[in-house]
């Protein structure tokens, strides 16, 4: 990992921890006892990095364990439509998001 990557990750973490820390791009000081699970922050950050790398394409979809980023349009040039799967009946779509 480069120092600039670590600095960006710290900035992302600081945005999540508002009121619980003081710090800079290279240091984080917790003001209250706190357990930090950075898994979700790192996952979101990874999605953002992937989307940034794919932005030159007309359309792309990043799916990281159910967390989605839809950019541009689908293969037919229409806005993305995302189906929400029923939690127990996996073959059933209960709602769609998009046009």
């Amino acid at each position: 990992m480069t120092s600039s990557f670590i600095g960006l990750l710290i900035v992302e973490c600081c945005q999540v921890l508002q009121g619980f820390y003081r710090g800079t791009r290279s240091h984080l000081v917790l003001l209250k006892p706190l357990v930090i699970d950075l898994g979700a922050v790192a996952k979101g950050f990874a999605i953002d990095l992937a989307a940034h790398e794919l932005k030159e394409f007309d359309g792309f979809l990043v799916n990281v364990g159910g967390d989605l980023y839809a950019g541009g349009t689908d293969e037919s040039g229409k806005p993305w439509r995302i189906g929400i799967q029923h939690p127990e009946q996996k073959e059933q779509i209960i709602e769609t998001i998009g046009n």
Side-chain angles (χ1 to χ4, degrees):
M1 267 187 226
T2 66
S3 61
S4 61
F5 176 81
I6 293 170
L8 288 171
L9 188 56
I10 289 173
V11 168
E12 291 275 329
C13 294
C14 290
Q15 291 173 353
V16 172
L17 298 173
Q18 289 179 3
F20 290 92
Y21 77 96
R22 64 182 164 80
T24 66
R25 287 183 68 85
S26 62
H27 293 85
L28 178 67
V29 177
L30 296 178
L31 302 176
K32 302 176 184 179
L34 187 64
V35 174
I36 303 173
D37 178 1
L38 300 178
V41 173
K43 189 176 180 182
F45 187 66
I47 292 169
D48 289 345
L49 288 175
H52 179 74
E53 292 299 315
L54 297 169
K55 68 182 179 184
E56 67 185 59
F57 293 98
D58 293 334
F60 61 90
L61 183 65
V62 178
N63 180 353
V64 180
D67 291 349
L68 302 174
Y69 186 105
T73 58
D74 67 13
E75 62 276 356
S76 64
K78 296 180 182 176
W80 287 100
R81 293 189 62 190
I82 307 297
I84 308 298
Q85 186 179 47
H86 190 283
E88 295 171 352
Q89 300 169 9
K90 300 297 185 188
E91 69 286 345
Q92 183 181 356
I93 301 297
I94 57 175
E95 188 65 63
T96 59
I97 300 171
N99 293 341

